[in-house]
Amino acid sequence: MFLLWSAFLLLTGAIVYLSLQDGITAKEQMYKIVEYLQKYTEIDLKDRLGMESADRDQIAYLLRQGGRAAAFFLLGILGTLSVHMTFRKMNWLTKTCITSVCLVAIAYFTEKVKEYLPTRHFSREEMLLSIAAVILGFFFVSLITFLGS
């Protein structure tokens, strides 16, 4: 239990930290990752991403969105597992409702807070991507726990 909650809280903290960065810092970090991938791997990112003339901004954007989806999917899995394993005697529907509200709130607020940060902007599409990924992870675990009970 402790390990699940620790992983969930650590991932939530990392997502919040990355969401609270200003836009310039976030872009610089993504550019470093793109440069690292291009320099130290044999993967041609332009071919891999299906772009004929991709620039650094396009590649960084696609990697950032892929990372966002993966992080929120994992957050949905960890959060749902943590709640379902900790509160085993609670009604399945109650656990599921509480978990979904909490996960969607995290996805919403980590994007909404960007309205108040310099050089950042609120994006409804990015918020919906985060919510969809967290709900997909949540659904995956909830379905397994429902079928297993």
Side-chain angles (χ1 to χ4, degrees):
M1 248 36 87
F2 176 75
L3 217 52
L4 277 174
W5 280 106
S6 297
F8 171 72
L9 292 174
L10 185 66
L11 183 57
T12 302
I15 289 171
V16 169
Y17 171 76
L18 291 172
S19 294
L20 292 176
Q21 289 182 322
D22 64 70
I24 296 166
T25 305
K27 273 190 177 182
E28 287 174 358
Q29 287 180 343
M30 281 310 299
Y31 290 157
K32 288 179 185 177
I33 292 171
V34 169
E35 289 171 9
Y36 175 83
L37 289 173
Q38 289 176 334
K39 185 175 181 181
Y40 295 108
T41 65
E42 296 180 14
I43 299 171
D44 184 4
L45 293 174
K46 293 177 186 179
D47 288 339
R48 180 72 90 186
L49 297 173
M51 298 177 183
E52 291 181 16
S53 60
D55 66 2
R56 187 170 67 166
D57 286 333
Q58 288 174 314
I59 293 171
Y61 176 78
L62 289 174
L63 287 173
R64 190 171 59 244
Q65 296 313 314
R68 172 192 309 280
F72 277 99
F73 177 71
L74 187 57
L75 187 73
I77 289 173
L78 289 172
T80 308
L81 271 175
S82 298
V83 170
H84 279 272
M85 299 298 284
T86 302
F87 305 105
R88 292 176 192 233
K89 294 182 180 181
M90 188 182 285
N91 180 330
W92 180 87
L93 184 60
T94 305
K95 290 188 287 191
T96 301
C97 290
I98 291 170
T99 304
S100 65
V101 168
C102 291
L103 292 172
V104 169
I106 292 170
Y108 174 79
F109 286 117
T110 54
E111 186 63 34
K112 188 69 176 167
V113 73
K114 293 177 185 174
E115 282 185 346
Y116 308 104
L117 297 173
T119 67
R120 294 299 291 262
H121 66 283
F122 171 77
S123 169
R124 189 171 316 282
E125 292 83 15
E126 291 180 11
M127 180 190 66
L128 291 175
L129 173 67
S130 300
I131 290 173
V134 81
I135 289 299
L136 188 61
F138 156 81
F139 179 74
F140 178 73
V141 174
S142 293
L143 184 63
I144 290 172
T145 58
F146 178 73
L147 295 174
S149 62

